[in-house]
Amino acid sequence: MTRPSTRRSDTGTGTRLKRLLAVALMVATLGACMSNPGTGKYDPLPVKSQQETLDWARQLIAHLVQTVGIEINSEPEEAGFHPCIGRNGESAPDGRYTLLYFVHSDVPGARHNDVVRSARDLLTKEGLKVTVYREATDTKPSVALWTRHPESNYTVRVDSTSDKRMALSVTTPCLMPPSASPAPTQ
């Protein structure tokens, strides 16, 4: 699979601003498609194909790595589609799914705190709420940033996986594929 380029380029301020505004609009629009704010627990699930969901996750991570100034390394991306499992272990045969998407970046340990701070600033400006935040210290040399979008319930995480690597991931809420029939209402 090919990934969007995450290399930084030196462009003019106007071009860079236009690109950032376009990406911010895309992230806001796609994030809003993940769920309908204020819906009840028996409302229909958001409809999105697995390919659309994967493309959205790739774009979100590409925007994040470009903004914080790192690059996705050459390791293969990992994307896992999983059936939705209810609180009591129940599942439905209609194809509903979640996506866990993640990539790795080679980042020197001395930059981990800067990366996690920049990621936190970006994601909170885009409306995500921080649920876990930890910077590296001498006694705990790893960082963690876990965020959740309050309406759409997707999550974005940035974590140290070693003193030279970081993992970036997106997890979606339960989504319905377009070909599935809607779940019966109660």
Side-chain angles (χ1 to χ4, degrees), residues 9-185:
S9 61
D10 188 23
T11 60
T13 305
T15 303
R16 182 171 168 80
L17 180 59
K18 286 179 189 175
R19 186 174 60 232
L20 288 174
L21 289 173
V23 171
L25 178 61
M26 175 209 55
V27 169
T29 302
L30 290 172
C33 293
M34 298 303 283
S35 180
N36 297 323
T39 60
K41 68 180 185 175
Y42 296 113
D43 288 348
L45 294 173
V47 175
K48 190 174 245 184
S49 75
Q50 289 185 353
Q51 186 61 53
E52 289 172 318
T53 303
L54 181 57
D55 291 345
W56 171 81
R58 285 177 177 151
Q59 291 169 344
L60 180 62
I61 292 295
H63 172 56
L64 179 61
V65 299
Q66 180 178 16
T67 303
V68 301
I70 60 176
E71 295 179 6
I72 297 170
N73 69 18
S74 61
E75 292 175 67
E77 65 185 0
E78 295 193 34
F81 291 95
H82 306 282
C84 295
I85 305 297
R87 182 177 296 149
N88 298 314
E90 68 275 11
S91 63
D94 57 8
R96 57 186 73 191
Y97 68 92
T98 62
L99 168 66
L100 171 56
Y101 173 78
F102 72 92
V103 296
H104 290 97
S105 180
D106 297 322
V107 180
R111 287 206 53 223
H112 285 207
N113 281 346
D114 291 335
V115 168
V116 79
R117 287 178 196 135
S118 295
R120 178 194 60 199
D121 293 347
L122 171 69
L123 294 170
T124 56
K125 283 179 187 172
E126 292 183 0
L128 283 82
K129 304 296 180 198
V130 174
T131 58
V132 171
Y133 182 80
R134 180 183 67 236
E135 291 187 14
T137 64
D138 290 338
T139 59
K140 186 79 172 170
S142 65
V143 299
L145 170 65
W146 300 1
T147 61
R148 175 177 297 279
H149 193 275
E151 289 89 27
S152 302
N153 289 320
Y154 67 89
T155 63
V156 178
R157 290 178 53 169
V158 178
D159 297 283
S160 296
T161 57
S162 75
D163 63 345
K164 298 176 186 168
R165 282 173 31 117
M166 298 182 85
L168 300 98
S169 66
V170 175
T171 305
T172 67
C174 198
L175 301 169
M176 185 72 73
S179 61
S181 59
T185 58

